[in-house]
Amino acid sequence: MLRSFFIGLSTNKPFRAFSERSSIGRRVSRRFIAGMSVAEAIEAAAALNAEGISVSLDSLGESVLEVSQAEESAAVYHQLLDAIEARKLRANVSVKLTQVGMDIGGPGAGPALAERIVGEMVAHAASFGNFVRIDMEGSEYTEETIAMTERLHTKYPGAVGTVLQAYLFRTASDVERLIAGGIRIRLCKGAYKEPAEIAFPAKSDVDANYIKLMQRCVSSPVFCGIATHDEAIVDNLRAFVAEHNIDKRAFEFQLLYGIRRDLQRKLVAEGFGVRVYLPFGPEWYPYFMRRLAERPANVLFLARNFFKS
Ligand SMILES: Cc1cc2nc3c(=O)[nH]c(=O)nc-3n(C[C@H](O)[C@H](O)[C@H](O)COP(=O)(O)OP(=O)(O)OC[C@H]3O[C@@H](n4cnc5c(N)ncnc54)[C@H](O)[C@@H]3O)c2cc1C
């Protein structure tokens, strides 16, 4: 019930506007958001690199409805790519299609605009051997996100990949589709509210599907990101790679900034590749609410820290 409450709040516009403007909101969100500016995000990425952790930088924003906003989001990503290259960071970027115009109506907007903007980012990243990950959003975008990734991968092989969500029934076949195309996959459980016709309603089924798909991903020749904080799943993968003699560097674990920092460090110490997804920027609200939805106990955790600091 609390999950639905926070997912509902994540799309509540008046509460979002109020929270993003308020200094209390910014203070509370700090645990999961690495700062408000490119400079702060780059410093946070450098600090993680120093601990042996790679990064994927996410300039927060989604569901933009003006072409100018989509272009502004793109400009931030180009700055990030230049800063990553200038500082020689072990970092790439993650972007959402609704942040670069996917939902905007009218000629020259919508998917065509999103593809043009993301295509320019991928070209920029490819020019110095970097990589753009297209995040996965709600199921209304799944097919178009995969198809766009495939088209961009054909133009810039290896410089773009996307995300598949284990809660969707279709994902088993999408995993095969992307592996066949040599396209990098980030596998996650899925963070949106989906109907029972297309997604497993029970968490135990999502977890079981995740394990099956994860084992398939790490056994494939494609470099995949195993995006989870679920320790039972991490244990399963440790045992699976040991049993099948899979190189620890043939894949990487991916975790969110500020979540299970103990596990992040432990995996690095064990010799696994670890990447942290590092979100930043003033439009933090929907991302933050989805993190509360995943673990409502975070509300208590944040409240305790708020009054301590
Ligand atoms: C790097 C990365 C990228 C992602 N990208 C996408 C994407 O593009 N699209 C998408 O739909 N989803 C994305 N997600 C979110 C994902 O789908 C899940 O919603 C989220 O990771 C929680 O699932 P879990 O695998 O950690 O397992 P869960 O079963 O939800 O959690 C397992 C354990 O992890 C810990 N944990 C999990 N979440 C939190 C939290 N918020 N705060 C504190 N502890 C927590 C708790 O100890 C919990 O018991 C991404 C996740 C990661 C790690």
Side-chain angles (χ1 to χ4, degrees):
M1 218 176 87
L2 273 173
R3 179 170 193 268
S4 301
F5 172 71
F6 284 117
I7 296 230
L9 263 191
S10 76
T11 52
N12 181 307
K13 286 191 181 136
F15 196 60
R16 172 177 177 176
F18 167 77
S19 304
E20 285 180 350
R21 277 199 304 268
S22 94
S23 61
I24 295 180
R26 286 175 177 220
R27 209 170 129 196
V28 170
S29 63
R30 221 165 30 196
R31 167 74 193 222
F32 301 132
I33 314 296
M36 294 295 138
S37 66
V38 168
E40 283 174 303
I42 290 291
E43 285 318 315
L48 285 163
N49 279 186
E51 292 189 57
I53 296 175
S54 305
V55 168
S56 194
L57 285 149
D58 168 30
S59 167
L60 287 167
E62 51 198 92
S63 314
V64 308
L65 293 173
E66 302 287 338
V67 175
S68 59
Q69 287 175 295
E71 300 285 5
E72 280 161 25
S73 297
V76 175
Y77 275 96
H78 288 290
Q79 272 180 48
L80 282 173
L81 287 165
D82 285 333
I84 290 169
E85 180 59 8
R87 296 277 297 264
K88 300 284 176 222
L89 296 176
R90 273 184 297 112
N92 58 37
V93 295
S94 289
V95 64
K96 289 187 174 41
L97 291 182
T98 65
Q99 185 178 4
V100 290
M102 194 72 176
D103 287 338
I104 304 176
L113 174 68
E115 186 157 350
R116 200 246 309 143
I117 291 181
V118 177
E120 287 165 3
M121 282 181 204
V122 177
H124 188 175
S127 70
F128 36 72
N130 208 333
F131 176 82
V132 176
R133 175 82 60 187
I134 306 181
D135 284 343
M136 190 57 81
E137 301 177 72
S139 56
E140 65 272 38
Y141 304 103
T142 307
E143 181 53 37
E144 188 53 33
T145 303
I146 294 174
M148 203 182 284
T149 306
E150 288 171 328
R151 288 192 292 274
L152 292 171
H153 175 78
T154 306
K155 281 197 203 158
Y156 308 101
V160 63
T162 189
V163 181
L164 297 179
Q165 297 153 323
Y167 61 19
L168 294 183
F169 299 149
R170 61 173 284 163
T171 296
S173 84
D174 290 336
V175 163
E176 295 308 325
R177 175 174 166 183
L178 292 193
I179 288 175
I183 298 174
R184 281 160 65 171
I185 299 168
R186 173 200 294 151
L187 183 67
C188 68
K189 290 188 188 174
Y192 297 81
K193 195 169 167 51
E194 300 292 357
E197 296 78 56
I198 60 164
F200 295 101
K203 180 169 161 36
S204 55
D205 291 333
V206 177
D207 292 354
N209 198 40
Y210 191 100
I211 289 177
K212 195 178 84 192
L213 300 177
M214 166 184 81
Q215 293 181 348
R216 173 71 184 111
C217 284
V218 301
S219 308
S220 80
V222 177
F223 184 86
C224 292
I226 303 305
T228 187
H229 314 94
D230 188 330
E231 218 155 348
I233 290 182
V234 171
D235 289 345
N236 179 289
L237 188 52
R238 270 200 202 92
F240 184 80
V241 297
E243 191 187 336
H244 294 83
N245 263 327
I246 294 169
D247 187 342
K248 280 182 175 170
R249 293 281 164 175
F251 62 93
E252 66 187 9
F253 283 106
Q254 298 189 354
L255 298 96
L256 300 178
Y257 181 81
I259 298 181
R260 292 303 311 266
R261 291 186 292 201
D262 56 333
L263 183 59
Q264 297 173 13
R265 291 180 188 130
K266 192 168 161 211
L267 290 169
V268 171
E270 289 174 23
F272 289 104
V274 176
R275 184 177 300 274
V276 158
Y277 182 98
L278 190 150
F280 74 97
E283 294 183 42
W284 50 266
Y285 175 88
Y287 173 90
F288 179 71
M289 285 298 160
R290 286 197 294 275
R291 302 294 79 79
L292 297 187
E294 281 154 10
R295 192 164 175 264
N298 275 335
V299 175
L300 292 176
F301 167 81
L302 291 171
R304 270 201 306 274
N305 284 290
F306 181 81
F307 290 111
K308 259 192 233 157
S309 57

